[in-house]
Structures are given as C-alpha cells and as structure tokens.
Amino acid sequence: DQIKAEGYKTRVMVNMLNAIGADKKALIILPEVNAQIIKSCANIPGVVTAQYNNLNVYDILNANKFVVTAAAVKMLEEVYA
C-alpha cells in the first residue's frame, strides 16, 4: 500500500525487502521524492529507487522485483495508459 521509513535506517528497508521477497535486485517505484526512503536504500546493493515519471528501460530490465506503492500504480496508469 505504502512504504514508510522512520528515520534514515538501511536495516529497516533491508528487513522490509526481505519480508516481501525482494532481497536481490529490486526497483522501488515511488509516487514522489521521499528522501528517507531514497537514502535508506542507497547503501543496499542491487536496490534502485525511482519516481513514477523517471523510469527508464535499463532499471526496469535490470530488476528482478518491483516494489510499487498503490499511489505510484495510479500515477503510472495515468501517465502510461
């Protein structure tokens, strides 16, 4: 539904990704810039964050899993549908 990060904690994001099975190469698609999530994921190898309007083909093809918030899905449908 949504991704929340309390503070800049890489461990919290690693645990969340492990819990949903996205522990290798993952693309996290966000509806807006969220500095806490972006910085928390910056040190995780294989994890890339992007906003819904900044997606590129390389990141999509390189990812094994997509983590997309509900708000980002709605925005993706508006932009690309």
Side-chain angles (χ1 to χ4, degrees):
D1 200 23
Q2 62 182 336
I3 301 172
K4 292 183 182 180
E6 296 179 12
Y8 297 91
K9 300 287 185 184
T10 301
R11 174 63 55 202
V12 173
M13 296 307 293
V14 168
N15 290 339
M16 186 267 304
L17 291 170
N18 286 336
I20 61 174
D23 52 347
K24 300 290 180 192
K25 291 183 178 181
L27 175 61
I28 300 175
I29 303 172
L30 303 169
E32 71 269 338
V33 175
N34 185 327
Q36 288 181 335
I37 294 173
I38 294 169
K39 289 183 179 181
S40 295
C41 293
N43 292 332
I44 305 171
V47 175
V48 177
T49 57
Q51 280 68 48
Y52 74 96
N53 58 352
N54 253 358
L55 294 175
N56 64 55
V57 175
Y58 177 79
D59 288 338
I60 292 170
L61 293 176
N62 194 36
N64 292 337
K65 301 281 184 170
F66 296 103
V67 180
V68 187
T69 64
V73 170
K74 289 179 184 178
M75 293 178 179
L76 284 169
E77 288 173 348
E78 290 175 10
V79 172
Y80 296 107

